[in-house]
Amino acid sequence: MDGRDLVRSMKAVGSAGTAQGLRTVRAAWRRNRVDAAALPVRGPERARVPGPVREVEPAPGGGTLRFARSELRIRVAVNGAVFWGWDGAGPEPSYALAGRCPEPDPRAVLEPDKDGGWRVVAERVTVVVSRHGAVEVCTPGGVVLRRDLPPRWWEPQGGGPARWTQRSEVAADARFFGLGGRAPGPRLRDGTYRLWNADPGRASERAGHPSGLTMPVQLVVADAATHLVFHDTSWDGTVTLREGVEGAGSGHDRPGACEMRMDGGPLRCWVVVGTPARVLLAWVSLTGAPALPPAWALGHQHARGGPGGEEEVRRVVAAHQEHGLPLDAVLVDVDLHDGQRGFTVDQERFPKPAALAEELRRDGIRLLSVVEPAVAAVRGDSVYEAGVAQDAFVRDASGRLVESVARPGDVVLPDFTHARVRHWWGSLYAERIGQGFAGFWHDMDEPTVFAAYGDPTLPRSARHDLEGRGGDHREAHNVYGLCMARAAYEGLRELVAEERPFVLSRSGWAGLQRYGGTWSASAVPGWPGLRASLSLVLGLGLCGVPYAGPAQEGPDRDASPELYLRRLQLSAYLPLFRTYASGRAGCRDAWEFGPEVLEHARAAIVGRRRLVPYFVTLAHLARRTGAPYVRPVWWGAPGNRALRDCEDAFLLGDCLLVAPVLDQGHDRRTVQLPRGRWYDTATDRAYQGPGQVRVDAPLSRVPVLARAGAVIPVRGDDGRLELEVWAPVRGRTGGGVVVRDGGDGWEEPETERYVVRWQGSRIVVEREGEDGVSAPSHPVRVRGLGEEPVQM
């Protein structure tokens, strides 16, 4: 145990109680002792670079280049994505890919280039490989977007996995986004970011500290084009970024730089070039379409913590109804569980969960449950005994079960990298389904210890199946939460085949969107936490995980009324909208702040319910195209540098621009507008972009602007779907798409397309179909009539 481990363990003693804390300290000592004995000691190492090219073998979509000390396989897929792998690494097996690797593009060929190099020319990208192994990604016009220098490996002379480093250069004007959910984002400044999933806890206040969902996915936006690069290895590592400078050094540009250092795993990557929309479409075609959440999951979810049990849940629901706060789901936190048995429901506090769930469902409210991977190591516990019989739990290098410490005490953890174990774990959800639970939140699935200071629960030397390949926790750690989500999703598909599963994971990796969404743990306290919440959701969406949201309460439990409201108002426009209250943790409900706060909170929650049809449409579009619900304001114009640097506002789909209030004491704020006419939805006042505008932001609301010509599906006062249409600019047309979700099943809903135009002095809204145009099938409300835009 090093000094940092000891400090964290001592904190655990103070934060978790003496008995639990001491168990945590002992578990940390055991982990380090096991690793010291089982992991090879890294002694002298031998550095290696590719050397000069010796031989080239063309193949469909690309080919293989053999260098003096390595070989490079390169292939362009039919969807335009480019793959390359060093040392013979291929695209499979991969936890990120959805199914088999796409077929190669037969039109892309490997051909000689100048100075002894080679190149592959495809429709949307040209890849140039120098004779010493540098790889350039260029636009069809020849503009270099990314240049990867020849990689370097450090191989232990005694054998074992090799470390490697890949240095890259990008355009001087490029900006970095991605790497999973990052509180310092969404634009990633100069610094080093670790690729290791961990409950951030209080340590996340340090910029770049790992979050619960990290992934080696970078989205790089430059004037010439946008490109996504994904290094497909799940090992621990770091990414060091440095933005470029134009006109630096006697007028010469200094390119941006990226240095990736990994402790092991294959050196292989995918690159996609194009507009942001095209890049995300190709990315989800590789990693899988986002799972479609049930319609109710796009409403207001409320998490309740504390020891009150069933009666406390009933009291909270009744209070929401009494105060006119719409509610769609209630999450019962870990207090649902038997404190000594982990997975098992506490029969004293929740004696009849099925009756409670049915009672709530009659009011349109679903009951949700937290599930953690840790299983109490208690003889006689049904889950523990079944897991032992299935040989489902992680073992150490000597074959013994690995025991650690989590909420129930001494625990073991399933090996979700084994297909048989995933099937067994998925079958366990039958008990919760029978008790009436409609969805599941996965917590502590990094996995992490009870004390939540970022320590791994499992030693790095713990053995995993890894789909039959075998390996240890160094490779399995980052995909552990992803595999747990897969187990739940596939199990629920079998158990409740007629309904779409609802699975949220705190941890995950590339491809998590196939199984559900993610929620960010409390990370940054106070007002900076507002920016962190928005950064996390924006960053995850650009990595292909569109359904995400923050823990609304934040880590500073006793928030001021103003901070509570601004958090709530931001969350109401994010895909996952969850509030939280717990008397034990000091988190309060809206009515506990007084009548003024309650009134403003009601407006935010009612406003979210009104927008649920729009969120349903965005969910279906995300499944089909990969476009996130929440998008940076530069989404449609990545070449606009002012928009590229805007981090305090976002687009909700194509129609709305949301400008949350992120600083204390502000009742007005500046909004950076993309091109076109925009209407303030609170006042109908029109503004003309691109440019900046100052708008009112009273405590009762945040600025929301609608694009001219937008057609937005909303919930009317009678509960039926309505179309809110914003007047287009005269001489131009507008339009929109509406996807009606008829339920929570798998039926493909009908897509309605609308066009909006001026006809003389009035606005006409028509529905387009195969048989021509027709009248809208929903009530229409036109807004923005007679407003002249404010010139900026």
Side-chain angles (χ1 to χ4, degrees), residues 519-672:
W519 60 285
S520 61
S522 304
V524 180
W527 288 90
L530 277 176
R531 293 184 182 272
S533 297
L534 178 56
S535 297
L536 288 163
V537 175
L538 280 168
L540 288 165
L542 295 176
C543 291
V545 184
Y547 185 63
Q552 196 272 331
E553 76 281 0
D556 49 336
R557 307 300 186 179
D558 297 314
S560 68
E562 182 186 5
L563 178 56
Y564 172 85
L565 276 177
R566 294 311 193 189
R567 281 178 177 157
L568 185 69
Q569 289 163 351
L570 168 62
S571 298
Y573 291 98
L574 299 180
L576 172 64
F577 179 33
R578 186 200 81 159
T579 54
Y580 180 86
S582 171
R584 183 177 57 196
C587 303
R588 292 179 284 174
D589 286 297
W591 52 86
E592 297 178 288
F593 286 94
E596 182 183 6
V597 172
L598 175 61
E599 179 184 357
H600 299 332
R602 184 185 302 114
I605 298 174
V606 170
R608 171 55 177 250
R609 169 157 287 196
R610 180 174 176 272
L611 281 176
V612 164
Y614 185 49
F615 275 96
V616 168
T617 294
L618 295 179
H620 282 275
L621 294 179
R623 179 175 65 89
R624 299 173 187 178
T625 69
Y629 312 17
V630 169
R631 309 165 187 177
V633 292
W634 49 258
W635 178 260
N640 185 322
R641 298 190 180 187
L643 294 179
R644 200 187 300 166
D645 293 337
C646 177
E647 300 179 276
D648 60 357
F650 60 92
L651 297 175
L652 184 58
D654 286 331
C655 299
L656 296 177
L657 190 155
V658 182
V661 177
L662 304 178
D663 297 298
Q664 185 176 9
H666 287 201
D667 59 5
R668 285 179 63 82
R669 61 153 294 172
T670 301
V671 181
Q672 187 77 40

Side-chain angles (χ1 to χ4, degrees), residues 164-167 195 216 231 238-240 258-262:
W164 55 263
T165 296
Q166 176 71 75
R167 293 183 176 90
L195 298 169
H231 287 85
T238 60
V239 178
T240 300
C258 168
E259 181 180 270
M260 191 163 195
R261 292 179 174 267
M262 301 301 295

Side-chain angles (χ1 to χ4, degrees), residues 74-247:
I74 186 168
R75 183 169 74 172
V76 179
V78 290
N79 65 353
V82 180
F83 169 84
W84 68 76
W86 288 94
D87 284 354
E92 300 177 45
S94 170
Y95 279 105
L97 298 186
R100 300 302 303 272
C101 178
E103 293 296 319
D105 185 351
R107 300 169 297 174
V109 295
L110 186 62
E111 58 188 30
D113 196 39
K114 60 185 180 180
D115 299 328
W118 292 78
R119 67 179 182 178
V120 180
V121 180
E123 179 182 0
R124 301 172 186 168
V125 64
T126 297
V127 182
V128 180
V129 183
S130 76
R131 61 191 181 95
H132 286 288
V135 181
E136 290 183 349
V137 178
C138 310
T139 67
V143 179
V144 178
L145 298 177
R146 187 181 194 90
R147 184 173 189 266
D148 283 7
L149 303 178
R152 184 180 296 270
W153 294 266
W154 284 269
E155 299 170 328
Q157 293 184 4
R163 298 184 296 122
W164 55 263
T165 296
Q166 176 71 75
R167 293 183 176 90
S168 308
E169 295 177 349
V170 298
D173 66 282
R175 297 292 181 260
F176 297 99
F177 300 85
L179 297 182
R182 297 287 174 170
R187 171 183 160 193
L188 301 175
R189 267 40 177 215
D190 296 1
T192 298
Y193 301 85
R194 190 179 178 192
L195 298 169
W196 184 257
N197 291 347
D199 176 1
R202 300 169 189 171
S204 67
E205 297 173 33
R206 302 195 302 269
H209 189 276
S211 68
L213 204 165
T214 68
M215 60 180 85
V217 178
Q218 300 173 41
L219 190 76
V220 185
V221 184
D223 287 350
T226 297
H227 74 272
L228 179 147
V229 59
F230 166 53
H231 287 85
D232 193 355
T233 176
S234 60
W235 283 66
D236 191 4
T238 60
V239 178
T240 300
L241 302 177
R242 187 193 67 190
E243 290 185 348
V245 178
E246 294 180 290

Side-chain angles (χ1 to χ4, degrees), residues 192-465:
T192 298
Y193 301 85
R194 190 179 178 192
L195 298 169
W196 184 257
N197 291 347
D199 176 1
R202 300 169 189 171
S204 67
E205 297 173 33
R206 302 195 302 269
H209 189 276
S211 68
L213 204 165
T214 68
M215 60 180 85
V217 178
Q218 300 173 41
L219 190 76
V220 185
V221 184
D223 287 350
T226 297
H227 74 272
L228 179 147
V229 59
F230 166 53
H231 287 85
D232 193 355
T233 176
S234 60
W235 283 66
D236 191 4
T238 60
V239 178
T240 300
L241 302 177
R242 187 193 67 190
E243 290 185 348
V245 178
E246 294 180 290
S250 301
H252 296 288
D253 290 349
R254 187 191 74 190
C258 168
E259 181 180 270
M260 191 163 195
R261 292 179 174 267
M262 301 301 295
D263 289 348
L267 203 175
R268 58 183 181 177
C269 72
W270 288 90
V271 176
V272 185
V273 176
T275 63
R278 179 169 286 180
V279 165
L280 266 294
L281 177 61
W283 175 238
V284 299
S285 74
L286 283 173
T287 60
L292 194 63
W296 55 261
L298 295 166
H300 173 210
Q301 302 181 35
H302 183 74
R304 193 69 189 179
E310 290 183 5
E311 292 308 313
E312 174 68 8
V313 172
R314 290 188 175 92
R315 186 193 68 79
V316 169
V317 170
H320 276 79
Q321 294 170 339
E322 176 187 351
H323 294 101
L325 303 176
L327 187 60
D328 297 278
V330 175
L331 171 70
V332 183
D333 211 337
V334 292
D335 301 286
L336 170 73
H337 301 161
D338 185 321
Q340 302 300 317
R341 297 165 70 87
F343 200 92
T344 306
V345 171
D346 188 329
Q347 294 297 318
E348 291 186 6
R349 286 179 292 174
F350 293 87
K352 296 179 179 180
L356 174 64
E358 179 59 28
E359 178 183 327
L360 296 181
R361 192 175 284 250
R362 287 196 293 267
D363 290 330
I365 302 170
R366 268 65 174 186
L367 189 62
L368 311 179
S369 166
V370 165
V371 174
E372 297 181 354
V375 175
V378 177
R379 293 190 178 276
D381 178 81
S382 58
V383 177
Y384 175 74
E385 295 292 351
V388 171
Q390 291 267 353
D391 191 21
F393 300 123
V394 176
R395 296 180 179 272
D396 62 22
S398 64
R400 295 189 298 264
L401 285 181
V402 176
E403 291 193 4
S404 189
V405 175
R407 298 186 200 270
D410 293 331
V411 298
V412 291
L413 286 99
D415 180 9
F416 294 119
T417 68
H418 196 303
R420 172 175 49 78
V421 176
R422 288 196 297 269
H423 185 268
W424 166 72
W425 185 265
S427 69
L428 297 180
Y429 290 77
E431 177 184 352
R432 296 290 171 89
I433 294 296
Q435 293 166 338
F437 291 97
F440 304 93
W441 290 56
H442 289 175
D443 198 1
M444 311 296 282
D445 54 335
E446 287 80 12
T448 189
V449 298
F450 171 86
Y453 282 97
D455 291 337
T457 300
L458 296 169
R460 292 173 180 256
S461 59
R463 304 300 299 172
H464 290 267
D465 181 74

Side-chain angles (χ1 to χ4, degrees), residues 54 256 360 594 649 681:
R54 301 295 194 198
L360 296 181
T681 58

